[in-house]
Amino acid sequence: MTCEEIGELLPDYFEGSLKAPQDDLVERHIEECADCREEVAIWKKLSLLPVEQPSAGSRERFEAMLDAYQTGRNDKASAGFVPEKRRSAWNWLRSPAGAVAWSAALLVMGIFAGNYWGSRTTHSNAGQDEIAAMQIELTNMKQLVVLSMLQQQSAGERLQAVSYSRREDQLDPQVMSALVHTLRYDGSVDVRLAALDALSRHGAQPQVHKGVVDALQEQQSPLVQVALIDLMVEWRDPDAAQRLRNFVQTPNLNPTVRQRADWALSKLN
Amino acid sequence: MKEQERRAETENDQAMKLSPDEDLMLEVRNGAGETLGVLFDRYHAPLYNFYSKLTGDRTLSDDLVQEVFLRILKYRQSYQPGTPFRAWIYQIARNARVDHYRKTPRHITFEPHMVAPVMPKDSAQQLEETELLHRALMQMPEEKREILVLSRFQELRYEEIARLLGCELGTVKTRIHRAVQELRQNFKQLERGLAPREAAPAVVKTIPPRRFGNDM
Ligand SMILES: [Zn+2]
């Protein structure tokens, strides 16, 4: 048999589904033909490639997404009745961050319902609108995940949340507020730094701009202070000089931070 | 909670863990979103591998896996009873990837640390082979690589792949054969170019630039 004919049988041979006479034909051929033998060998070698593991936070992220989705649905169906299991999510929803997430969830539901009814009536030209609506919905849902994970106990998860927020080109105002809140009040320096980094891309938003600049006065960590000073220089913030002059008056300021602030002032003047 | 109810719940959980994917998906479709967790446990690692072998990008792979489950929630009403779940979820997975590339221009990434983690039983030679093989695979155009990934790593049957790609069974086999041939050529070239690795410009050119940790 020619290599071409054997080649047609090879995929079934790989899969082990080749029956008796043909199976023997292939085996006899590859004993003699180096090319076809190598092909079989490379197929077998593929099993050497390792199975890769998803990142550790994968399950938590999924659960945050599911929770955000479920809460939106359940609550619409049964306002007032809160099952035991959902109590913690419910408490979260009553917090300020929860409340904004909640309104986003309602928005999602609205889009979903609109989409559903829309597709029943206007079949023909709904395609584009549906895709657009779906994009909005998916983006909102991802941002809900960020919001929900920013509330987590573990700094690692909050760090993840910040990193997820970086993957969206545009952030909901609520997510931006939550990130500013994180920058100001999060207990972990790493999380605060990550939040600042994420916010640095959204300096054009007045809300972000103000939140970042305001954060300088209340930061205790020298690392975050230095990062904030650098960002203010980068943004060429109009009030930066005045704010820094006030800032260097702070008693017991870390010498490195003071040096950085002086350097920034020289840059800005 | 009463003991009886608790036992009933545990039995229910166990039954759920043994249920076919299709039954679970019907529950999700009927509103039991939490059942999706069982399907997540079954599919998130295979899907992650599908994406990471296809794109070579871990962060993107994580994101796309989440996207798939988000879409399942979104599209749950469109799941038809009798549809094999595996085919359905891979269809969603492929679409999610296509949509991603539509939104974000494609750039191939190659993460050196993705290549074969060192395992104690690996001989030096086997490690080398694994790395070469991985490179040879990543050099293929993504469309051709996909059929290998689906058949070899996702262990989809050829019939399933044919349905997924919307082509004939015979076409799938032909394409697998061609892809293996190409992989073998790439592999041999890499092996030959091994002595001074830079001495094989055609190969070096096709290895995408390294990307440094940009996650945080
Ligand atoms: Zn041959």
Side-chain angles (χ1 to χ4, degrees):
Chain A
M1 270 178 105
T2 65
C3 291
E4 205 172 315
E5 287 166 315
I6 292 294
E8 280 171 26
L9 299 176
L10 278 181
D12 285 328
Y13 179 75
F14 294 153
E15 210 187 30
S17 60
L18 213 53
K19 294 275 145 39
Q22 290 172 316
D23 194 43
D24 291 341
L25 284 177
V26 172
E27 301 229 307
R28 236 177 295 141
H29 180 91
I30 59 176
E31 263 172 42
E32 291 153 16
C33 170
D35 279 352
C36 292
R37 191 163 57 237
E38 276 178 27
E39 230 178 280
V40 174
I42 202 99
W43 173 266
K44 286 188 178 155
K45 269 198 195 114
L46 279 172
S47 70
L48 295 176
L49 291 184
V51 174
E52 286 145 20
Q53 291 306 316
S55 75
S58 190
R59 176 82 207 197
E60 282 76 15
R61 193 176 167 195
F62 166 74
E63 273 166 14
M65 183 269 284
L66 195 57
D67 230 44
Y69 195 88
Q70 293 277 82
T71 320
R73 293 189 64 239
N74 287 351
D75 248 81
K76 213 181 176 199
S78 58
F81 172 71
V82 187
E84 196 62 38
K85 263 187 180 169
R86 292 265 159 255
R87 187 84 66 184
S88 64
W90 180 247
N91 284 339
W92 173 68
L93 278 173
R94 296 172 76 158
S95 69
V100 293
W102 173 232
S103 53
L106 287 179
L107 176 68
V108 169
M109 292 313 299
I111 290 167
F112 187 77
N115 210 6
Y116 177 70
W117 292 111
S119 67
R120 298 188 85 184
T121 47
T122 53
H123 263 294
S124 49
N125 56 359
Q128 284 303 322
D129 293 351
E130 243 174 67
I131 289 170
M134 193 186 81
Q135 290 296 353
I136 294 169
E137 183 183 338
L138 292 181
T139 306
N140 277 325
M141 194 60 83
K142 283 179 202 160
Q143 304 209 9
L144 278 179
V145 171
V146 172
L147 280 174
S148 144
M149 286 186 73
L150 279 174
Q151 314 297 316
Q152 296 301 314
Q153 290 285 321
S154 103
E157 283 185 44
R158 298 198 304 277
L159 212 51
Q160 276 297 319
V162 175
S163 83
Y164 298 148
S165 80
R166 292 173 50 97
R167 298 183 204 161
E168 303 302 318
D169 298 329
Q170 291 186 330
L171 293 179
D172 281 349
Q174 290 92 334
V175 175
M176 284 194 256
S177 305
L179 285 171
V180 169
H181 187 272
T182 297
L183 167 65
R184 296 173 99 162
Y185 305 115
D186 198 285
S188 150
V189 171
D190 288 337
V191 177
R192 294 208 298 276
L193 279 173
L196 180 60
D197 199 34
L199 286 167
S200 67
R201 302 188 306 147
H202 302 280
Q205 304 287 330
Q207 164 200 14
V208 170
H209 199 109
K210 184 173 181 317
V212 167
V213 174
D214 285 350
L216 180 63
Q217 210 51 250
E218 57 207 13
Q219 282 300 320
Q220 298 302 319
S221 149
L223 274 175
V224 183
Q225 287 170 331
V226 167
L228 277 167
I229 293 168
D230 288 356
L231 193 58
M232 282 163 77
V233 172
E234 197 185 311
W235 282 353
R236 295 260 146 207
D237 184 70
D239 325 322
Q242 188 50 50
R243 281 173 185 273
L244 284 170
R245 272 193 287 275
N246 292 342
F247 178 66
V248 291
Q249 305 300 320
T250 318
N252 304 326
L253 200 57
N254 175 297
T256 315
V257 177
R258 187 181 301 279
Q259 227 176 14
R260 195 66 156 211
D262 289 337
W263 164 83
L265 277 167
S266 73
K267 276 277 207 185
L268 290 166
N269 284 328
Chain B
M1 204 193 293
K2 288 195 205 95
E3 183 56 35
Q4 219 172 1
E5 284 174 34
R6 190 174 298 141
R7 197 179 313 132
E9 186 153 293
T10 320
E11 275 168 21
N12 192 26
D13 280 0
Q14 276 166 355
M16 201 190 264
K17 293 217 166 73
L18 297 172
S19 300
D21 300 342
E22 288 73 16
D23 293 359
L24 296 176
M25 187 55 219
L26 282 176
E27 284 181 33
V28 174
R29 182 185 126 128
N30 295 334
E34 63 277 3
T35 306
L36 189 60
V38 184
L39 290 168
F40 181 86
D41 289 340
R42 285 183 194 173
Y43 281 93
H44 86 289
L47 283 176
Y48 177 82
N49 269 275
F50 170 63
Y51 285 131
S52 67
K53 291 213 162 57
L54 215 51
T55 67
D57 183 333
R58 290 183 155 180
T59 308
L60 175 61
S61 302
D62 272 326
D63 285 356
L64 286 174
V65 169
Q66 298 290 329
E67 180 93 14
V68 168
F69 286 92
L70 202 51
R71 287 183 181 208
I72 290 181
L73 279 178
K74 151 86 182 165
Y75 290 128
R76 65 190 197 287
Q77 301 290 350
S78 76
Y79 177 76
Q80 294 301 322
T83 309
F85 180 75
R86 221 150 80 111
W88 194 66
I89 196 172
Y90 275 99
Q91 192 68 62
I92 293 176
R94 295 187 79 236
N95 291 344
R97 176 174 130 258
V98 170
D99 290 347
H100 168 80
Y101 284 135
R102 201 179 291 146
K103 252 181 24 187
T104 320
R106 187 181 303 229
H107 65 284
I108 318 157
T109 55
F110 182 81
E111 298 181 35
H113 59 269
M114 275 189 75
V115 177
V118 181
M119 280 172 277
K121 67 179 165 81
D122 277 341
S123 66
Q125 196 222 340
Q126 206 183 58
L127 251 183
E128 185 111 279
E129 266 202 333
T130 312
E131 184 173 341
L132 288 183
L133 191 60
H134 186 260
R135 286 185 184 222
L137 188 66
M138 294 311 280
Q139 282 177 4
M140 297 175 72
E142 212 171 292
E143 289 71 18
K144 282 194 187 165
R145 188 159 66 238
E146 184 182 31
I147 204 155
L148 284 182
V149 173
L150 287 171
S151 58
R152 190 68 173 111
F153 300 105
Q154 307 312 117
E155 293 176 355
L156 261 62
R157 283 174 297 111
Y158 297 153
E159 291 83 8
E160 290 178 294
I161 298 175
R163 221 172 299 137
L164 192 59
L165 305 186
C167 62
E168 298 290 320
L169 182 60
T171 314
V172 169
K173 291 183 191 176
T174 311
R175 282 165 69 180
I176 285 177
H177 181 222
R178 290 215 190 105
V180 174
Q181 275 180 323
E182 186 170 332
L183 179 68
R184 179 183 143 239
Q185 293 302 336
N186 289 352
F187 184 79
K188 281 181 87 164
Q189 249 183 0
L190 282 170
E191 236 179 359
R192 256 186 253 124
L194 195 58
R197 207 172 284 181
E198 283 71 18
V203 168
V204 172
K205 201 179 63 197
T206 52
I207 296 175
R210 292 177 175 225
R211 221 180 40 146
F212 293 99
N214 61 345
D215 206 345
M216 284 307 306

